[in-house]
Amino acid sequence: MAARQPRNSRKTTTDDTANDLSYAEARTALDLVLAQLQATDLDVEAMAALFQRAQSYVQRCETLLAETEQQVLRWDNSNAGSAPVPYAPET
């Protein structure tokens, strides 16, 4: 009889897989998981596993968006010698 994997190791595998995805890939994977969650024939365990996968894909998308936001630079055209500064929305 095969030993069962601890639940945490499955989540780590999903997180590791999500961490290797581009934004578009993670978004597509999230859309697919959400479509599966909408199925009415899922048992509770399957729904919980899909929910955890969805959370991993959402976290990956949020991480990539935050990284991209930090890379966006705004140049001050009034001072040609100024260095670029991180973008901050004007309020």
Side-chain angles (χ1 to χ4, degrees):
M1 186 169 163
R4 292 181 63 187
Q5 269 188 324
R7 289 182 190 245
N8 290 346
S9 67
R10 275 191 241 145
K11 185 175 185 331
T12 301
T13 301
T14 302
D15 289 345
D16 291 344
T17 301
N19 288 336
D20 293 336
L21 299 178
S22 68
Y23 178 83
E25 292 168 335
R27 179 60 195 250
T28 299
L30 176 60
D31 289 341
L32 292 172
V33 168
L34 292 176
Q36 289 177 307
L37 279 170
Q38 292 174 349
T40 58
D41 60 343
L42 293 173
D43 61 24
V44 173
E45 292 82 9
M47 288 179 82
L50 286 171
F51 180 75
Q52 287 180 344
R53 284 177 53 199
Q55 285 182 312
S56 294
Y57 296 135
V58 166
Q59 181 60 44
R60 178 62 177 162
C61 289
E62 289 176 348
T63 298
L64 290 171
L65 288 173
E67 289 173 2
T68 301
E69 183 178 26
Q70 292 301 312
Q71 294 172 2
V72 173
L73 300 176
R74 180 177 64 188
W75 290 89
D76 180 3
N77 292 333
S78 65
N79 185 358
S82 68
V85 295
Y87 172 78
E90 295 180 20
T91 55

